[in-house]
């Protein structure tokens, strides 16, 4: 072996020292392997709780850090397993941990142990204990405000005769504290807890004493950590009003408002230690800002509609009050062979000003220009919208504003120009558990758009309603049934005097799969296909998880478009197929293969759609 290069020390400073020298000075701990076995008469949930509590069992595939590390882990298991027994209502149990036949608690930390070591964990749970005498001293008085109600401790298992699980006691304490907090007592806390186990009768008596403290009102908010953000705006955006009665629900809502600004990596409200003599409770809002810019790219593919690529660039906090500017660009309809004159182009910008009038109201302004080439028409247009979006609750959002648009369309009616001005409004209810991959909940929306078209001098109005629902079954919602229905109506002049993009079409990945995008319309004389005045479409899906990340889907879509009256059922266009899903952090990657069940001349034999997120 080659000699090791030496280091030397002068006045306490080491020269020519390499990593090997430093490693030589480190304390060397030999890894210590072991096997662990649980011996107990417990079964079912209790046996599972004991096994899950043992670090020795959980980590036995990883060597311990020497004999001392193994003994430390064993001593910790006494505490962990005892806590697990208490958690299941067993207060008279015994735990013995034997390392090669010797009680681990009696082995000195510097003892030498066989390597590998054999460990047996003997657990005798003893009898199950039940609650007997339960008292909560200083329980909050009943409230007349439904928003301040909290679960009664009895509904949490804190009742005479119930199994005396330790977790029930802590949940009862949390409920008792929250009841005071909901009534304005911000510093309510547990003053004392007395738990007495009667081993003769296998019962537990519990006395919880609550110290409610003084009622509080929200005090001033001091903002800490801002760099580009306006601190005064950040404080106002919480919606907390100085002098208003303390309410933990208002604090939770303030946190949501801050998160919606999309400018903070972290934002945390910290209450002062004490309520002031004036009854005010000051807060410090500690924030950490995100970078001011963000960009992203995406793509979608359909065998009938071609390839689409898109990108966006987002600027956050333009002027110090969380203003956002997002620019979007998209090129779609890319087929093979490549024909650039058939491409679709879109470019648009969206400016959002949060906190307009109220912390829950945003000003939103958009401008866009596009060229879209479809089988039914070609559109070249530019327009803009400006309006307000208001968030009423976690589930309800509304919007309203004004719009203008100029456009040119080439279709079976020839080349036509339109200029419209109007208004828009809508309301959305959404309580889905995950918008990208819902397993339960409902989504419902209603939109209306009255407008006036100047070239032909016609007033018109367009309305759309949509509903979606989801039902999960089995462990971890292994099977999900999903349904969607959408209906639209347009009131106005003859079809040839209405901009085609305001008429209704069906077909495509988000509509009736198996048909080309917006290929289902109203059949006119000859081969003319136009948009319709009425729309009705729906979908049903069965989504089944095969593994944790992979799922399969079966679906049936249907829809039709009418000019003035709905056609017969024979004109309903149906598409069916199967799909594959692969779960990612951004939502499931979707691949759907669909066929038109009652195809017409010119419809494809099948269609393949690839994208991110469920179809609805």
């Amino acid at each position: 072996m080659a000699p090791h290069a030496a280091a030397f020390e002068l006045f306490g400073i080491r020269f020519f020292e390499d990593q090997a020298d430093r490693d030589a000075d480190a304390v060397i701990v030999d890894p210590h392997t072991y096997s662990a076995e649980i011996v107990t008469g417990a079964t079912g949930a209790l046996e599972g709780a004991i096994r899950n509590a043992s670090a020795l069992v959980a980590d036995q595939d990883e060597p311990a850090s020497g004999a001392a590390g193994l003994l430390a882990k064993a001593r910790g298991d006494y505490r962990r397993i005892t806590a697990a027994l208490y958690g299941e209502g067993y207060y008279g149990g015994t735990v013995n941990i034997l390392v090669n036949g010797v009680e681990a608690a009696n082995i000195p930390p510097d003892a030498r142990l066989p390597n590998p070591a054999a460990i047996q964990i003997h657990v005798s749970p003893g009898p199950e204990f039940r609650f007997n005498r339960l008292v909560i001293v200083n329980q909050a008085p009943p409230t007349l405000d439904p928003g301040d109600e909290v679960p009664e401790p009895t509904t949490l298992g804190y009742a005479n005769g119930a199994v005396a699980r330790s977790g029930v006691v802590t949940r009862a304490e949390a409920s008792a504290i929250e009841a005071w907090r909901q009534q304005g007592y911000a510093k309510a806390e547990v003053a004392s807890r007395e738990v007495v186990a009667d081993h003769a009768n296998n019962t537990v008596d519990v006395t919880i004493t609550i110290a409610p403290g003084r009622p509080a009102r929200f005090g001033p908010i001091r903002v800490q950590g801002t760099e580009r953000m306006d601190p005064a705006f950040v404080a106002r955006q919480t919606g907390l009003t100085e002098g208003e009665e303390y309410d933990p629900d208002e604090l939770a809502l303030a946190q949501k408002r801050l998160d919606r600004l999309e400018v903070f990596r972290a934002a945390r409200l910290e209450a002062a230690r004490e309520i002031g003599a004036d009854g005010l409770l000051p807060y410090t809002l500690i924030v950490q800002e995100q970078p001011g810019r963000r960009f992203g790219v995406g793509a979608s593919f359909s065998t009938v509609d071609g390839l689409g690529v898109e990108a966006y660039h987002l600027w956050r906090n333009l002027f110090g009050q969380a203003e956002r500017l997002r620019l979007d660009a998209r090129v779609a309809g890319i087929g093979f062979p490549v024909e650039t004159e058939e491409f679709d182009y879109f470019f648009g910008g969206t400016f959002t000003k949060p906190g307009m009038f109220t912390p829950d109201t945003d000003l939103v302004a958009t401008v866009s220009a596009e060229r879209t080439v479809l089988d039914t028409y070609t559109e070249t247009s530019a327009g803009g919208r400006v309006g307000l979006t208001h968030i009423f609750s976690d589930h309800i959002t509304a919007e309203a504003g004004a719009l203008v648009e100029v456009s040119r369309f080439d279709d079976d009616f020839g080349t036509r120009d339109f200029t419209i001005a109007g208004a828009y409004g809508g309301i959305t209810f959404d309580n889905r558990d995950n918008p990208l991959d819902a397993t339960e909940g409902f989504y419902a929306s209603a939109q209306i758009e009255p407008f006036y078209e100047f070239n032909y001098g016609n007033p018109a109005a367009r309305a759309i309603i949509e509903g979606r629902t989801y039902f999960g079954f089995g462990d971890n919602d292994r099977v999900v049934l999903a349904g969607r229905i959408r209906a639209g109506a347009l009131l106005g002049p003859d079809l040839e005097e209405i901009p085609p993009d305001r008429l209704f079409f069906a077909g495509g990945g988000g509509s009736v799969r198996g048909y080309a995008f917006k290929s289902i319309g109203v059949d006119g004389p000859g081969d003319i296909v136009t948009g319709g005045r009425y729309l009705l479409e729906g979908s049903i899906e069965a989504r089944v998880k095969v593994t944790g990340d992979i799922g399969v889907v079966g679906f049936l879509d249907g829809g039709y478009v009418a000019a003035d009256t709905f056609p017969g059922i024979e004109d309903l266009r149906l598409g069916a197929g199967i799909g594959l899903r692969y779960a990612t952090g951004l939502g499931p990657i979707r691949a759907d293969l669909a066929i038109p069940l009652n195809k017409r001349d010119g419809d494809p034999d099948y269609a393949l759609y690839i994208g991110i997120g469920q179809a609805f």
Side-chain angles (χ1 to χ4, degrees), residues 328-377:
D328 288 88
R330 181 175 67 249
V331 180
I334 304 172
F336 301 96
V338 175
E339 298 179 8
T340 56
E341 64 273 11
E342 297 296 320
F343 285 5
D344 299 337
Y345 301 96
F346 173 88
F347 182 79
T350 301
F351 174 78
T352 304
K353 170 66 176 74
M356 196 74 176
F357 307 123
T358 79
D360 297 313
T361 307
D362 294 349
L363 171 70
V364 182
T366 65
V367 293
S368 63
E370 65 179 297
R371 179 179 183 271
T372 303
V373 180
L374 302 174
D375 292 339
T376 47
Y377 64 80

Side-chain angles (χ1 to χ4, degrees), residues 181 185-189 211-217 219-220 222 246 269-286:
R181 285 165 53 85
Y185 291 77
K187 294 296 183 179
E189 61 182 359
R214 299 160 49 208
R217 290 173 286 119
R222 182 173 66 91
Y246 169 87
L269 280 160
E270 288 189 355
R273 294 177 61 88
E274 302 291 340
I275 300 171
D278 54 3
L280 297 180
L281 180 61
Y283 275 84
T284 299
L285 174 55
I286 304 171

Side-chain angles (χ1 to χ4, degrees), residues 59-361:
D59 300 340
Q60 61 182 321
D61 292 335
E62 297 291 333
S65 299
L70 180 59
L71 290 173
K73 186 173 293 189
R75 293 188 178 95
D77 260 13
Y78 286 108
R79 180 182 67 257
R80 286 184 286 266
I81 295 174
T82 300
L85 292 174
Y86 287 1
E88 295 297 319
Y90 292 82
Y91 292 81
T94 59
V95 180
N96 298 99
I97 301 177
L98 307 180
V99 181
N100 287 90
V102 180
E103 190 73 42
N106 299 329
I107 301 176
D110 58 350
R112 298 180 66 86
L113 300 178
N115 192 359
I119 300 177
Q120 283 192 329
I121 305 170
H122 293 264
V123 181
S124 176
E128 183 182 70
F129 281 62
R130 292 185 175 268
F131 289 125
N132 179 34
R133 180 176 178 271
L134 302 176
V135 178
I136 297 180
V137 180
N138 291 336
Q139 193 165 4
T143 177
L144 299 178
D145 185 352
D148 289 344
E149 292 180 353
V150 299
E152 290 288 336
T154 54
T155 66
L156 304 173
Y158 191 72
N160 292 340
V163 177
R165 294 183 172 89
S166 60
V168 169
V169 177
T170 57
R171 289 195 293 273
E173 290 176 346
S175 175
I177 292 172
E178 184 64 15
W180 279 109
R181 285 165 53 85
Q182 286 288 343
Q183 298 185 41
Y185 291 77
K187 294 296 183 179
E189 61 182 359
V190 175
S192 65
R193 176 202 305 133
E194 184 180 351
V195 180
V196 179
D198 185 341
H199 292 266
N201 299 316
N202 299 331
T203 60
V204 173
D205 296 338
V206 182
T207 300
I208 300 171
T209 302
I210 303 296
R214 299 160 49 208
R217 290 173 286 119
F218 287 119
I221 297 175
R222 182 173 66 91
V223 179
Q224 178 180 318
T226 53
E227 299 176 5
R228 299 177 301 276
M229 286 289 292
D230 177 359
F233 171 81
V234 175
R236 185 176 72 85
Q237 197 63 19
T238 64
L240 301 178
T241 303
E242 186 173 340
E244 181 182 8
E245 179 183 290
Y246 169 87
D247 186 344
D249 295 333
E250 289 297 321
L251 282 177
L253 182 56
Q255 186 67 56
K256 292 177 182 177
R257 287 168 175 151
L258 293 170
D259 294 341
R260 285 201 303 261
L261 293 177
E262 299 181 10
V263 294
F264 299 125
R265 180 176 285 110
R268 184 177 76 256
L269 280 160
E270 288 189 355
R273 294 177 61 88
E274 302 291 340
I275 300 171
D278 54 3
L280 297 180
L281 180 61
Y283 275 84
T284 299
L285 174 55
I286 304 171
V287 300
Q288 182 181 7
E289 296 181 10
Q290 295 192 77
R293 297 182 181 183
R294 179 182 177 185
F295 68 91
V297 296
S300 61
F301 175 75
S302 164
T303 54
V304 294
D305 301 318
L307 173 68
V309 293
E310 55 191 84
Y312 74 87
H313 197 296
L314 174 67
W315 287 266
R316 298 187 181 99
N317 191 29
L318 287 176
F319 310 118
Q321 295 192 352
E323 301 89 347
R324 298 189 299 275
L325 176 62
R326 172 170 168 152
L327 300 181
D328 288 88
R330 181 175 67 249
V331 180
I334 304 172
F336 301 96
V338 175
E339 298 179 8
T340 56
E341 64 273 11
E342 297 296 320
F343 285 5
D344 299 337
Y345 301 96
F346 173 88
F347 182 79
T350 301
F351 174 78
T352 304
K353 170 66 176 74
M356 196 74 176
F357 307 123
T358 79
D360 297 313
T361 307

